[in-house]
Structure formats: structure tokens, C-alpha cells
Coordinates of all heavy atoms in Angstrom, one line a residue:
M60 N -37.2 -54.6 -111.2 CA -37.9 -55.8 -111.1 C -39.3 -55.7 -111.6 O -40.0 -54.8 -111.5 CB -38.1 -56.2 -109.6 CG -36.8 -56.7 -109.0 SD -37.4 -57.6 -107.5 CE -36.3 -56.9 -106.3
S61 N -39.7 -56.8 -112.3 CA -41.1 -56.8 -112.8 C -41.9 -57.9 -111.9 O -41.5 -58.8 -111.3 CB -41.1 -57.3 -114.2 OG -40.5 -58.5 -114.4
G62 N -43.3 -57.5 -111.9 CA -44.1 -58.5 -111.2 C -44.1 -58.1 -109.7 O -43.4 -57.4 -109.2
K63 N -45.2 -58.6 -109.1 CA -45.5 -58.3 -107.7 C -44.8 -59.4 -106.8 O -44.7 -60.6 -107.3 CB -47.0 -58.2 -107.4 CG -47.6 -57.0 -107.9 CD -49.0 -56.8 -107.3 CE -49.5 -55.5 -107.7 NZ -50.5 -54.9 -106.8
I64 N -44.4 -59.0 -105.6 CA -43.9 -60.1 -104.7 C -45.1 -60.7 -104.1 O -46.0 -60.2 -103.7 CB -43.1 -59.3 -103.7 CG1 -41.8 -58.6 -104.3 CG2 -42.7 -60.3 -102.6 CD1 -41.1 -57.8 -103.2
K65 N -44.9 -62.1 -104.1 CA -46.0 -63.0 -103.4 C -45.5 -63.4 -102.1 O -44.4 -64.0 -102.0 CB -46.2 -64.1 -104.3 CG -46.9 -63.8 -105.7 CD -47.2 -65.0 -106.5 CE -47.6 -64.6 -107.9 NZ -47.9 -65.6 -108.9
Y66 N -46.2 -63.1 -101.1 CA -46.0 -63.5 -99.7 C -46.7 -64.7 -99.4 O -47.9 -64.9 -99.8 CB -46.3 -62.4 -98.7 CG -45.3 -61.1 -98.9 CD1 -45.8 -60.1 -99.6 CD2 -44.1 -61.1 -98.5 CE1 -45.0 -58.9 -99.8 CE2 -43.3 -60.0 -98.6 CZ -43.7 -58.9 -99.4 OH -42.9 -57.8 -99.5
S67 N -46.2 -65.5 -98.5 CA -46.9 -66.6 -98.1 C -47.0 -66.7 -96.6 O -46.3 -66.0 -95.9 CB -46.2 -68.0 -98.5 OG -45.0 -68.0 -97.9
D68 N -47.9 -67.6 -96.1 CA -48.0 -67.6 -94.6 C -47.2 -68.8 -94.1 O -47.5 -69.4 -93.0 CB -49.6 -67.8 -94.3 CG -50.3 -66.6 -94.4 OD1 -49.8 -65.5 -94.4 OD2 -51.5 -66.6 -94.7
E69 N -46.2 -69.2 -94.6 CA -45.3 -70.2 -94.3 C -44.6 -69.9 -92.9 O -44.2 -68.8 -92.8 CB -44.3 -70.7 -95.3 CG -45.0 -71.2 -96.6 CD -44.0 -71.6 -97.6 OE1 -42.8 -71.9 -97.3 OE2 -44.2 -71.5 -98.9
P70 N -44.4 -70.9 -92.1 CA -43.8 -70.6 -90.8 C -42.3 -70.3 -91.2 O -41.7 -70.9 -92.1 CB -43.9 -71.8 -90.1 CG -44.3 -72.9 -90.9 CD -45.0 -72.3 -92.1
M71 N -41.7 -69.4 -90.5 CA -40.3 -69.1 -90.6 C -39.4 -69.8 -89.7 O -39.8 -69.9 -88.5 CB -40.2 -67.5 -90.5 CG -40.7 -66.8 -91.6 SD -40.5 -65.0 -91.4 CE -38.7 -64.9 -91.7
M72 N -38.2 -70.2 -90.0 CA -37.3 -71.0 -89.2 C -36.3 -69.8 -88.6 O -35.9 -68.9 -89.3 CB -36.6 -72.0 -89.8 CG -37.5 -73.3 -90.2 SD -36.4 -74.6 -90.9 CE -35.3 -74.8 -89.6
M73 N -36.0 -70.0 -87.3 CA -35.2 -69.0 -86.7 C -33.7 -69.7 -87.0 O -33.6 -70.8 -86.9 CB -35.5 -68.9 -85.2 CG -36.8 -68.2 -85.0 SD -36.7 -66.5 -85.5 CE -35.5 -65.6 -84.5
G74 N -32.8 -68.7 -87.1 CA -31.4 -69.2 -87.4 C -30.8 -69.3 -86.0 O -31.3 -69.2 -85.1
D75 N -29.5 -69.7 -86.1 CA -28.7 -69.8 -84.8 C -28.4 -68.4 -84.3 O -28.2 -67.4 -85.0 CB -27.3 -70.4 -85.1 CG -27.5 -71.9 -85.6 OD1 -28.5 -72.6 -85.3 OD2 -26.5 -72.3 -86.3
R76 N -28.6 -68.3 -83.0 CA -28.3 -67.0 -82.2 C -26.8 -66.7 -82.3 O -26.0 -67.6 -81.9 CB -28.8 -67.1 -80.8 CG -28.6 -65.7 -80.2 CD -29.4 -65.9 -78.8 NE -29.5 -64.5 -78.2 CZ -30.5 -64.0 -77.7 NH1 -31.5 -64.6 -77.6 NH2 -30.4 -62.7 -77.3
V77 N -26.4 -65.5 -82.6 CA -25.1 -65.1 -82.7 C -24.7 -64.4 -81.5 O -25.3 -63.7 -80.9 CB -24.8 -64.1 -83.9 CG1 -23.4 -63.6 -83.8 CG2 -25.2 -64.7 -85.2
K78 N -23.5 -65.0 -80.8 CA -23.1 -64.3 -79.5 C -22.8 -62.8 -79.8 O -22.3 -62.5 -80.7 CB -21.8 -65.0 -79.1 CG -21.2 -64.6 -77.8 CD -20.0 -65.3 -77.4 CE -19.3 -64.5 -76.2 NZ -18.0 -64.7 -76.1
D79 N -23.1 -62.0 -78.8 CA -22.8 -60.6 -78.9 C -21.3 -60.5 -78.8 O -20.8 -60.6 -77.6 CB -23.6 -59.8 -77.7 CG -23.5 -58.3 -77.9 OD1 -22.9 -57.8 -78.8 OD2 -23.9 -57.6 -76.9
F80 N -20.7 -59.9 -79.8 CA -19.2 -59.9 -79.7 C -18.8 -58.5 -79.9 O -17.7 -58.1 -79.8 CB -18.6 -60.5 -81.1 CG -19.1 -59.8 -82.4 CD1 -18.5 -58.9 -82.9 CD2 -20.3 -60.4 -83.0 CE1 -18.9 -58.4 -84.2 CE2 -20.8 -59.8 -84.2 CZ -20.1 -58.9 -84.7
L81 N -19.8 -57.5 -79.8 CA -19.3 -56.0 -79.8 C -19.0 -55.5 -78.3 O -19.7 -55.9 -77.5 CB -20.5 -55.2 -80.3 CG -20.8 -55.4 -81.9 CD1 -22.0 -54.6 -82.3 CD2 -19.7 -55.0 -82.7
P82 N -18.0 -54.8 -78.2 CA -17.7 -54.2 -76.9 C -18.7 -53.2 -76.5 O -19.4 -52.5 -77.2 CB -16.4 -53.6 -77.2 CG -16.4 -53.1 -78.5 CD -17.1 -54.2 -79.2
P83 N -18.9 -53.0 -75.2 CA -19.8 -52.0 -74.7 C -19.3 -50.5 -75.1 O -18.2 -50.3 -75.3 CB -19.7 -52.2 -73.2 CG -18.5 -52.9 -72.8 CD -18.2 -53.6 -74.0
P84 N -20.2 -49.7 -75.2 CA -19.9 -48.3 -75.6 C -18.7 -47.6 -74.9 O -18.0 -47.0 -75.4 CB -21.2 -47.4 -75.5 CG -22.2 -48.5 -75.5 CD -21.7 -49.8 -74.9
S85 N -18.7 -48.1 -73.5 CA -17.6 -47.3 -72.8 C -16.2 -47.8 -73.2 O -15.2 -47.2 -72.9 CB -17.9 -47.7 -71.3 OG -17.8 -49.1 -71.1
K86 N -16.1 -48.9 -73.9 CA -14.8 -49.4 -74.4 C -14.5 -49.1 -75.8 O -13.5 -49.5 -76.3 CB -14.7 -51.0 -74.2 CG -14.7 -51.3 -72.7 CD -14.3 -52.8 -72.4 CE -14.2 -52.9 -71.0 NZ -13.7 -54.2 -70.6
L87 N -15.4 -48.4 -76.5 CA -15.2 -48.1 -77.9 C -14.3 -46.9 -78.0 O -13.5 -46.9 -79.0 CB -16.5 -47.7 -78.5 CG -17.5 -48.9 -78.8 CD1 -18.8 -48.5 -79.4 CD2 -17.0 -49.9 -79.7
V88 N -14.3 -46.0 -77.1 CA -13.4 -44.8 -77.1 C -12.3 -45.1 -76.1 O -12.6 -45.0 -74.9 CB -14.2 -43.6 -76.9 CG1 -13.2 -42.4 -76.9 CG2 -15.3 -43.5 -77.9
K89 N -11.1 -45.3 -76.6 CA -10.1 -45.5 -75.6 C -9.5 -44.2 -75.2 O -9.2 -43.3 -75.9 CB -8.9 -46.3 -76.3 CG -7.7 -46.7 -75.5 CD -6.7 -47.4 -76.3 CE -5.5 -47.7 -75.4 NZ -4.4 -48.3 -76.3
R90 N -9.5 -44.0 -73.9 CA -9.0 -42.9 -73.2 C -7.5 -43.0 -72.8 O -7.2 -43.8 -71.9 CB -9.8 -42.5 -72.1 CG -10.2 -41.2 -71.7 CD -11.1 -40.4 -72.3 NE -10.6 -39.0 -71.9 CZ -11.5 -38.0 -72.2 NH1 -12.4 -38.1 -72.9 NH2 -11.1 -36.8 -71.9
S91 N -6.7 -42.2 -73.3 CA -5.3 -42.3 -72.9 C -5.0 -41.3 -71.8 O -5.6 -40.3 -71.7 CB -4.2 -42.1 -74.0 OG -4.5 -43.0 -75.0
E92 N -4.0 -41.6 -71.0 CA -3.7 -40.6 -69.9 C -3.0 -39.5 -70.5 O -2.1 -39.6 -71.4 CB -2.7 -41.2 -68.9 CG -2.3 -40.4 -67.7 CD -1.5 -41.0 -66.8 OE1 -1.2 -42.2 -66.9 OE2 -0.8 -40.3 -66.0
T93 N -3.3 -38.3 -70.1 CA -2.7 -37.1 -70.7 C -1.9 -36.3 -69.7 O -2.2 -36.4 -68.4 CB -3.7 -36.2 -71.3 OG1 -4.7 -35.7 -70.3 CG2 -4.4 -36.8 -72.5
V94 N -1.0 -35.5 -70.0 CA -0.2 -34.7 -69.1 C -0.3 -33.3 -69.7 O -0.1 -33.2 -70.9 CB 1.2 -35.2 -69.0 CG1 2.1 -34.2 -68.1 CG2 1.2 -36.7 -68.5
K95 N -0.5 -32.4 -68.8 CA -0.6 -30.9 -69.2 C 0.8 -30.4 -69.4 O 1.6 -30.6 -68.5 CB -1.4 -30.0 -68.3 CG -2.9 -30.3 -68.4 CD -3.5 -29.3 -67.5 CE -5.0 -29.6 -67.5 NZ -5.9 -28.9 -68.5
V96 N 1.1 -29.7 -70.4 CA 2.5 -29.1 -70.6 C 2.2 -27.7 -71.2 O 1.2 -27.4 -71.8 CB 3.4 -29.9 -71.6 CG1 3.7 -31.3 -71.0 CG2 2.7 -30.0 -73.0
T97 N 3.3 -26.9 -71.1 CA 3.3 -25.6 -71.7 C 4.1 -25.7 -72.9 O 5.3 -26.3 -73.0 CB 3.8 -24.6 -70.6 OG1 3.0 -24.6 -69.5 CG2 3.9 -23.1 -71.3
L98 N 3.6 -25.1 -74.0 CA 4.2 -25.3 -75.3 C 4.2 -24.1 -76.1 O 3.1 -23.4 -76.1 CB 3.6 -26.5 -76.1 CG 4.2 -26.7 -77.6 CD1 5.6 -27.2 -77.6 CD2 3.3 -27.6 -78.3
E99 N 5.4 -23.5 -76.5 CA 5.4 -22.2 -77.2 C 5.3 -22.6 -78.8 O 6.2 -23.3 -79.2 CB 6.6 -21.3 -76.9 CG 6.4 -20.8 -75.4 CD 7.5 -19.7 -75.1 OE1 8.2 -19.3 -76.0 OE2 7.8 -19.6 -73.9
L100 N 4.5 -21.9 -79.5 CA 4.4 -22.2 -80.9 C 4.6 -20.8 -81.6 O 4.2 -19.8 -80.9 CB 3.0 -22.7 -81.4 CG 2.6 -24.2 -80.7 CD1 1.3 -24.4 -81.0 CD2 3.6 -25.2 -81.2
T101 N 5.0 -20.8 -82.9 CA 5.0 -19.6 -83.7 C 3.4 -19.2 -84.0 O 2.6 -20.0 -83.9 CB 5.6 -19.8 -85.0 OG1 4.9 -20.7 -85.7 CG2 7.1 -20.2 -84.7
A102 N 3.2 -17.9 -84.0 CA 1.9 -17.5 -84.2 C 1.3 -18.0 -85.5 O 0.1 -18.4 -85.6 CB 2.0 -15.9 -84.3
D103 N 2.1 -18.1 -86.5 CA 1.6 -18.8 -87.7 C 1.2 -20.1 -87.6 O 0.2 -20.6 -88.1 CB 2.7 -18.6 -88.9 CG 3.0 -17.2 -89.3 OD1 2.0 -16.3 -89.1 OD2 4.0 -16.9 -90.0
S104 N 1.9 -21.0 -86.8 CA 1.6 -22.4 -86.6 C 0.3 -22.5 -85.9 O -0.6 -23.3 -86.2 CB 2.8 -23.0 -85.8 OG 3.8 -23.2 -86.6
L105 N 0.2 -21.6 -84.8 CA -1.1 -21.7 -84.0 C -2.3 -21.3 -84.9 O -3.4 -21.9 -84.8 CB -1.0 -20.8 -82.8 CG -2.1 -20.8 -81.9 CD1 -2.4 -22.3 -81.3 CD2 -1.8 -19.8 -80.8
K106 N -2.1 -20.3 -85.7 CA -3.2 -19.7 -86.5 C -3.6 -21.0 -87.5 O -4.8 -21.3 -87.8 CB -2.8 -18.6 -87.3 CG -2.9 -17.3 -86.6 CD -2.4 -16.2 -87.5 CE -2.2 -14.9 -86.7 NZ -1.5 -13.8 -87.6
F107 N -2.6 -21.6 -88.0 CA -2.9 -22.7 -89.0 C -3.8 -23.9 -88.3 O -4.8 -24.2 -88.8 CB -1.7 -23.3 -89.5 CG -1.8 -24.7 -90.3 CD1 -2.2 -24.6 -91.7 CD2 -1.6 -25.9 -89.6 CE1 -2.4 -25.8 -92.3 CE2 -1.7 -27.0 -90.3 CZ -2.2 -27.0 -91.6
F108 N -3.3 -24.3 -87.0 CA -3.9 -25.4 -86.4 C -5.3 -25.0 -86.0 O -6.2 -25.8 -86.0 CB -3.2 -25.9 -85.2 CG -2.1 -26.8 -85.7 CD1 -0.8 -26.4 -85.7 CD2 -2.4 -28.0 -86.1 CE1 0.2 -27.3 -86.2 CE2 -1.5 -29.0 -86.5 CZ -0.1 -28.6 -86.5
K109 N -5.5 -23.8 -85.5 CA -6.8 -23.3 -85.1 C -7.8 -23.1 -86.3 O -9.1 -23.5 -86.2 CB -6.7 -21.9 -84.5 CG -6.2 -22.0 -83.1 CD -6.3 -20.6 -82.2 CE -6.0 -20.7 -80.8 NZ -6.1 -19.5 -80.1
R110 N -7.2 -22.7 -87.4 CA -8.0 -22.7 -88.7 C -8.5 -24.1 -89.1 O -9.6 -24.3 -89.4 CB -7.3 -21.9 -89.8 CG -8.2 -21.7 -91.1 CD -7.4 -20.7 -92.0 NE -5.9 -21.3 -92.4 CZ -4.8 -20.8 -92.1 NH1 -4.8 -19.6 -91.4 NH2 -3.8 -21.3 -92.4
Q111 N -7.5 -25.0 -89.2 CA -7.8 -26.4 -89.7 C -8.8 -27.0 -88.6 O -9.7 -27.8 -89.0 CB -6.5 -27.1 -89.7 CG -5.7 -26.8 -90.8 CD -6.3 -26.8 -92.1 OE1 -6.9 -27.9 -92.5 NE2 -6.2 -25.9 -93.0
A112 N -8.7 -26.8 -87.3 CA -9.5 -27.4 -86.3 C -10.9 -26.9 -86.5 O -11.8 -27.7 -86.3 CB -8.9 -27.1 -84.9
K113 N -11.0 -25.6 -86.7 CA -12.4 -25.0 -86.9 C -13.0 -25.7 -88.1 O -14.2 -26.1 -88.1 CB -12.2 -23.5 -87.1 CG -13.6 -22.9 -87.1 CD -13.4 -21.3 -87.1 CE -14.8 -20.6 -87.0 NZ -14.6 -19.2 -87.0
L114 N -12.3 -26.0 -89.3 CA -12.9 -26.5 -90.3 C -13.4 -27.8 -90.2 O -14.3 -28.3 -90.8 CB -11.8 -26.5 -91.6 CG -11.6 -25.1 -92.1 CD1 -10.3 -25.3 -93.2 CD2 -12.7 -24.6 -92.9
N115 N -12.7 -28.6 -89.4 CA -12.9 -30.0 -89.0 C -13.8 -30.1 -87.8 O -13.9 -31.3 -87.3 CB -11.7 -30.8 -88.9 CG -10.9 -30.9 -90.3 OD1 -11.3 -31.7 -91.1 ND2 -9.9 -30.1 -90.4
R116 N -14.1 -29.0 -87.2 CA -14.9 -29.1 -86.0 C -14.3 -30.0 -84.8 O -15.0 -30.8 -84.3 CB -16.3 -29.5 -86.2 CG -17.0 -28.5 -87.2 CD -18.3 -28.9 -87.4 NE -19.2 -27.8 -88.2 CZ -20.0 -28.1 -89.2 NH1 -20.3 -29.4 -89.4 NH2 -20.4 -27.1 -89.8
V117 N -13.0 -29.7 -84.6 CA -12.4 -30.5 -83.5 C -11.6 -29.4 -82.7 O -11.1 -28.4 -83.2 CB -11.4 -31.6 -84.0 CG1 -12.3 -32.7 -84.5 CG2 -10.4 -31.1 -84.7
P118 N -11.3 -29.6 -81.4 CA -10.4 -28.7 -80.7 C -9.0 -28.8 -81.3 O -8.4 -29.8 -81.6 CB -10.4 -29.3 -79.2 CG -11.7 -30.1 -79.2 CD -11.9 -30.5 -80.5
Y119 N -8.4 -27.6 -81.3 CA -7.1 -27.5 -81.9 C -6.0 -28.3 -81.1 O -5.1 -28.9 -81.6 CB -6.6 -26.2 -82.3 CG -6.2 -25.3 -81.0 CD1 -4.8 -25.3 -80.6 CD2 -7.1 -24.6 -80.2 CE1 -4.4 -24.6 -79.6 CE2 -6.7 -23.9 -79.1 CZ -5.3 -23.8 -78.8 OH -5.0 -23.2 -77.6
Q120 N -6.2 -28.4 -79.8 CA -5.3 -29.1 -78.9 C -5.5 -30.7 -79.2 O -4.4 -31.2 -79.2 CB -5.7 -29.0 -77.4 CG -5.5 -27.5 -77.0 CD -6.9 -26.8 -77.0 OE1 -7.7 -27.0 -77.8 NE2 -7.0 -25.8 -76.0
R121 N -6.5 -31.1 -79.6 CA -6.7 -32.5 -79.9 C -5.9 -32.7 -81.3 O -5.3 -33.9 -81.4 CB -8.2 -32.8 -80.0 CG -8.4 -34.4 -80.3 CD -9.8 -34.8 -80.4 NE -10.5 -34.5 -79.3 CZ -11.9 -34.4 -79.2 NH1 -12.6 -34.6 -80.3 NH2 -12.5 -34.1 -78.1
M122 N -6.0 -31.9 -82.2 CA -5.4 -32.0 -83.4 C -3.9 -32.1 -83.3 O -3.1 -32.8 -83.8 CB -5.7 -30.8 -84.4 CG -5.2 -31.0 -85.7 SD -5.8 -29.8 -86.9 CE -7.4 -30.4 -87.3
L123 N -3.3 -31.2 -82.4 CA -1.9 -31.0 -82.2 C -1.5 -32.4 -81.5 O -0.4 -32.9 -81.8 CB -1.5 -29.8 -81.2 CG -1.4 -28.6 -81.9 CD1 -1.5 -27.4 -80.9 CD2 -0.3 -28.5 -82.8
R124 N -2.3 -32.9 -80.4 CA -1.9 -34.1 -79.7 C -2.0 -35.3 -80.7 O -1.0 -36.2 -80.6 CB -3.0 -34.3 -78.6 CG -2.6 -35.5 -77.8 CD -3.5 -35.7 -76.5 NE -5.0 -35.6 -76.7 CZ -5.7 -34.7 -76.3 NH1 -5.3 -33.6 -75.6 NH2 -7.0 -34.6 -76.6
G125 N -2.9 -35.3 -81.8 CA -2.8 -36.3 -82.7 C -1.6 -36.3 -83.5 O -1.0 -37.4 -84.0
L126 N -1.2 -35.2 -83.9 CA 0.0 -35.0 -84.8 C 1.2 -35.5 -83.9 O 2.1 -36.3 -84.6 CB 0.2 -33.6 -85.0 CG 1.5 -33.2 -85.7 CD1 1.6 -33.7 -87.2 CD2 1.7 -31.7 -85.8
I127 N 1.4 -35.2 -82.7 CA 2.5 -35.6 -81.9 C 2.4 -37.1 -81.6 O 3.5 -37.8 -81.8 CB 2.5 -34.9 -80.7 CG1 2.9 -33.5 -80.9 CG2 3.6 -35.5 -79.7 CD1 2.7 -32.4 -79.7
D128 N 1.3 -37.7 -81.5 CA 1.1 -39.2 -81.3 C 1.4 -39.8 -82.5 O 2.1 -41.0 -82.6 CB -0.3 -39.6 -80.9 CG -0.8 -39.1 -79.5 OD1 0.2 -38.7 -78.7 OD2 -1.9 -39.0 -79.1
A129 N 1.1 -39.3 -83.8 CA 1.4 -40.0 -85.1 C 3.0 -40.0 -85.3 O 3.5 -40.9 -85.7 CB 0.7 -39.3 -86.3
Y130 N 3.6 -38.9 -84.8 CA 5.1 -38.8 -85.0 C 5.7 -39.8 -84.1 O 6.7 -40.4 -84.6 CB 5.4 -37.4 -84.6 CG 7.0 -37.1 -84.6 CD1 7.5 -36.6 -85.8 CD2 7.9 -37.4 -83.6 CE1 8.9 -36.4 -85.9 CE2 9.1 -37.1 -83.7 CZ 9.8 -36.8 -84.9 OH 11.0 -36.6 -85.0
V131 N 5.1 -40.0 -82.9 CA 5.7 -40.9 -82.0 C 5.7 -42.3 -82.5 O 6.6 -43.1 -82.5 CB 5.1 -40.8 -80.5 CG1 5.7 -42.0 -79.6 CG2 5.5 -39.5 -79.8
Q132 N 4.4 -42.7 -82.9 CA 4.2 -44.0 -83.6 C 5.1 -44.3 -84.7 O 5.7 -45.3 -84.9 CB 2.8 -44.2 -84.0 CG 1.9 -44.6 -83.0 CD 0.5 -44.9 -83.6 OE1 0.1 -44.3 -84.5 NE2 -0.2 -45.9 -83.0
Q133 N 5.3 -43.3 -85.6 CA 6.2 -43.5 -86.7 C 7.7 -43.7 -86.4 O 8.4 -44.5 -86.9 CB 6.2 -42.2 -87.7 CG 6.9 -42.2 -88.8 CD 6.4 -43.2 -89.9 OE1 5.2 -43.5 -90.0 NE2 7.3 -43.8 -90.7
H134 N 8.1 -43.0 -85.3 CA 9.5 -43.1 -85.0 C 9.9 -44.2 -83.9 O 11.0 -44.4 -83.5 CB 10.1 -41.8 -84.6 CG 10.1 -41.0 -85.9 ND1 11.1 -41.1 -86.8 CD2 9.2 -40.0 -86.2 CE1 10.8 -40.1 -87.7 NE2 9.6 -39.5 -87.4
E135 N 8.8 -44.7 -83.2 CA 9.1 -45.7 -82.2 C 9.4 -47.0 -82.8 O 10.1 -48.0 -82.2 CB 7.8 -45.9 -81.2 CG 8.0 -45.1 -80.0 CD 6.9 -45.5 -79.0 OE1 5.9 -46.0 -79.4 OE2 7.1 -45.2 -77.8
A136 N 9.0 -47.3 -84.0 CA 9.2 -48.7 -84.7 C 10.7 -49.1 -84.8 O 11.7 -48.6 -84.8 CB 8.5 -48.6 -86.0

């Protein structure tokens, strides 16, 4: 841009107030009920998920839960 910006002392008009439509922070993260289970995995599978979880800085259990949830969604339709 060339030239300087010229400001004036003119009064500014306020626009219409917008209703707050965002949910509160407590509702942004949906918490699903979980159930503890015992699951046996191969050593190689567990190493893979732990390695991937470390790279992505998430707990490996959460990663496994996400995988199973995605599988359920795909096959429930």
C-alpha cells in the first residue's frame, strides 16, 4: 500500500449485537461413558500403538479406543 492512512474523529456506529451462540467450554468436549476391559494384544501391535502414541503425544489407550470407535461407526451404518 502506498500513502499514509488518514484517521478521522468521526463518531462510529455500533452494529447489531450478535447473540452468543457458542457452547460453554464444558460442552465442547463430549465425554462418553467408558467400560474397562482386559484385552490381549500381540507384542508387535502394542509396540506399534505405543510408538505412534508417543509421536502424537496421546495415550496409546485413547488411540486404540479411537480405532475401535471408528470401526464401530463404519460398520453400524
Side-chain angles (χ1 to χ4, degrees):
M60 281 200 230
S61 61
K63 290 192 170 206
I64 298 174
K65 296 180 183 179
Y66 295 100
S67 66
D68 289 332
E69 295 178 28
M71 294 179 64
M72 291 185 56
M73 293 298 292
D75 294 334
R76 185 172 189 136
V77 176
K78 181 183 172 209
D79 186 6
F80 61 91
L81 295 174
S85 62
K86 293 193 177 187
L87 290 176
V88 179
K89 185 179 175 187
R90 216 70 205 190
S91 297
E92 182 182 348
T93 59
V94 178
K95 290 187 183 267
V96 297
T97 301
L98 176 67
E99 291 186 16
L100 302 172
T101 63
D103 289 339
S104 293
L105 184 58
K106 284 179 194 174
F107 171 81
F108 279 104
K109 284 187 173 185
R110 189 172 55 246
Q111 292 300 314
K113 189 174 183 178
L114 289 172
N115 291 285
R116 296 184 174 140
V117 296
Y119 76 93
Q120 296 96 332
R121 187 181 301 164
M122 187 175 275
L123 284 167
R124 187 170 50 240
L126 173 69
I127 293 168
D128 289 346
Y130 181 90
V131 169
Q132 271 189 329
Q133 180 71 29
H134 292 281
E135 262 191 342

